[in-house]
Amino acid sequence: MGFEGNAQTFRILTRLANHREEGFGLNLTRATLNATIKYPWARSEKPNKDKWGYYKSEKEAFEFAREGSNRTEKQSLEAQIMEYADDVTYAVHDIDDFYRSGLIPLDRLLVEAEQNYRVDEETSNIEQYLREEGKEEIADNVRRVLNDINSNYARDPLKCPYTNSEEQRIAIAQFDSNLISDFINGSEGTEPPIIIDLTDDEFDLERDDNVEETIQVLKHITRYYVLSNPSLNAQRHGQRRIIRVVFNALYEESGKPGISAIPEPYRDRLQENLKVATETQNARVVADMITSMTEKQVSAMYKRLQGHSPGSLVDEIVR
């Protein structure tokens, strides 16, 4: 069957999140839909890619969104703008969030830059990690980016471990605001960080190289300190197991013609397609159900299906 978060988003917008008539999604414009299509191809068109933009069940909606465009496997301008907004958001706010939580030692990185790397333990560790990951170019930019951030964005309160003091809250808010502003508008006396360029009768978003390098360094700092953290990876391992168990159990239930553990409206969809449904269609309905649930709901469903916490008859997990 295959599952991909971007393709599931497109399915929700065009089919599952009904606005007026069931089965037609939110009835969004082509421009809005195009903004969500980060990977403008199906899995079957790019079998070697681990990302794709739509399932074949939403092919008609995809073709509607792309109608009138000369590009086949290239993002629309709207999607390029959305991707840039995502990159800026993750680059800045992940640093903010994980500095506050104590996972990213922003204070030590800034002090190392301020002292011209007389002690460079944290900086060297990041560079070594990037080189081992084959990210040589990003590793080469780490010190330049940290120097720039220390000189232009970081006030002294950020050069200490976060204690939630008022001056630190003000400093981190200004750090976020100024950095985002320069990623969008550029700093005084510099070229705009992004421009819209017309190429082959299609508009594209052109990014400034220095800004792109800064964003990549910030994102990989988060990757080093947070995403490679053993505690997080142990948690993710457990979450994958929960999802796998819940999916397999509900998929087994999806083949039952009568009463099952699958609630409405998903049970109704299975019943409607009972005579013509394929295994893939049933699996897709189960995936739709799981993606509609919160983390708390999935955990509760897992405990109920495993018999760890059966719960009450009147305590519905999915409403």
Side-chain angles (χ1 to χ4, degrees):
M1 178 190 77
F3 179 86
E4 211 290 316
N6 293 276
Q8 188 69 24
T9 294
F10 191 72
R11 177 173 170 81
I12 290 169
L13 293 176
T14 59
R15 184 179 298 270
L16 302 179
N18 300 317
H19 178 53
R20 291 179 182 150
E21 186 176 350
E22 185 175 356
F24 285 88
L26 297 178
N27 195 27
L28 300 174
T29 65
R30 286 190 174 92
T32 304
L33 290 175
N34 262 307
T36 71
I37 304 174
K38 188 175 182 178
Y39 306 102
W41 56 79
R43 185 186 191 187
S44 58
E45 296 167 355
K46 295 277 189 176
N48 296 325
K49 296 281 189 179
D50 59 358
K51 299 284 187 180
W52 61 93
Y54 70 98
Y55 303 127
K56 63 180 181 180
S57 54
E58 281 69 59
K59 183 177 181 180
E60 185 177 345
F62 175 80
E63 291 176 344
F64 164 79
R66 303 290 286 181
E67 186 176 334
S69 174
N70 295 327
R71 57 186 71 191
T72 54
E73 297 176 354
K74 190 173 181 180
Q75 292 176 338
S76 66
L77 174 63
E78 294 86 356
Q80 293 173 51
I81 292 172
M82 287 292 289
E83 184 172 25
Y84 186 69
D86 276 349
D87 286 347
V88 169
T89 299
Y90 286 120
V92 177
H93 287 291
D94 279 355
I95 294 289
D96 175 328
D97 290 342
F98 294 117
Y99 165 58
R100 291 175 189 258
S101 67
L103 290 175
I104 293 182
L106 178 62
D107 53 305
R108 298 203 295 273
L109 292 170
L110 294 174
V111 169
E112 288 182 5
E114 186 173 53
Q115 296 179 350
N116 199 27
Y117 305 102
R118 289 198 298 271
V119 175
D120 64 351
E121 180 179 359
E122 298 295 341
T123 306
S124 292
N125 287 342
I126 294 170
E127 291 171 328
Q128 180 180 351
Y129 161 77
L130 288 169
R131 296 191 196 286
E132 289 174 353
E133 292 290 308
K135 309 286 186 181
E136 293 285 342
E137 188 173 346
I138 299 175
D140 291 340
N141 289 318
V142 168
R143 300 193 184 216
R144 179 193 68 76
V145 169
L146 290 176
N147 287 337
D148 180 53
I149 288 175
N150 175 64
S151 299
N152 299 314
Y153 301 99
R155 294 175 55 196
D156 287 342
L158 299 185
K159 297 170 187 177
C160 301
Y162 192 74
T163 60
N164 200 32
S165 67
E166 182 177 2
E167 60 181 5
Q168 281 186 320
R169 291 198 302 270
I170 293 172
I172 196 67
Q174 290 178 337
F175 172 87
D176 293 351
S177 178
N178 293 336
L179 200 53
I180 290 171
S181 177
D182 284 353
F183 283 158
I184 297 173
N185 302 312
S187 55
E188 187 175 352
T190 64
E191 294 293 322
I194 49 175
I195 59 172
I196 296 176
D197 186 39
L198 179 63
T199 306
D200 298 329
D201 296 326
E202 295 280 1
F203 289 104
D204 286 299
L205 190 72
E206 299 292 336
R207 304 189 187 190
D208 176 80
D209 288 341
N210 283 338
V211 169
E212 184 67 18
E213 290 167 2
T214 298
I215 289 173
Q216 290 303 317
V217 167
L218 292 177
K219 289 173 70 174
H220 280 83
I221 286 175
T222 297
R223 181 176 293 275
Y224 171 67
Y225 285 108
V226 181
L227 299 184
S228 61
N229 187 295
S231 295
L232 176 65
N233 280 285
Q235 182 185 44
R236 293 169 71 182
H237 176 82
Q239 290 170 335
R240 285 193 294 268
R241 183 178 186 279
I242 288 173
I243 294 294
R244 190 179 302 112
V245 168
V246 170
F247 177 86
N248 289 337
L250 293 178
Y251 178 67
E252 184 178 344
E253 291 288 301
S254 74
K256 296 180 179 180
I259 297 173
S260 75
I262 298 178
E264 296 178 355
Y266 306 99
R267 183 170 55 196
D268 291 342
R269 293 173 189 168
L270 291 170
Q271 292 298 316
E272 289 171 5
N273 294 328
L274 190 59
K275 294 181 179 180
V276 296
T278 65
E279 292 181 356
T280 297
Q281 288 172 313
N282 283 355
R284 189 69 67 202
V285 172
V286 172
D288 290 341
M289 175 181 167
I290 294 174
T291 56
S292 75
M293 299 165 69
T294 65
E295 182 177 352
K296 184 177 180 180
Q297 287 174 318
V298 173
S299 295
M301 180 66 76
Y302 170 79
K303 292 176 182 177
R304 180 169 292 183
L305 291 169
Q306 292 291 95
H308 299 325
S309 179
S312 167
L313 179 64
V314 298
D315 183 18
E316 297 181 10
I317 294 173
V318 180
R319 293 178 172 85

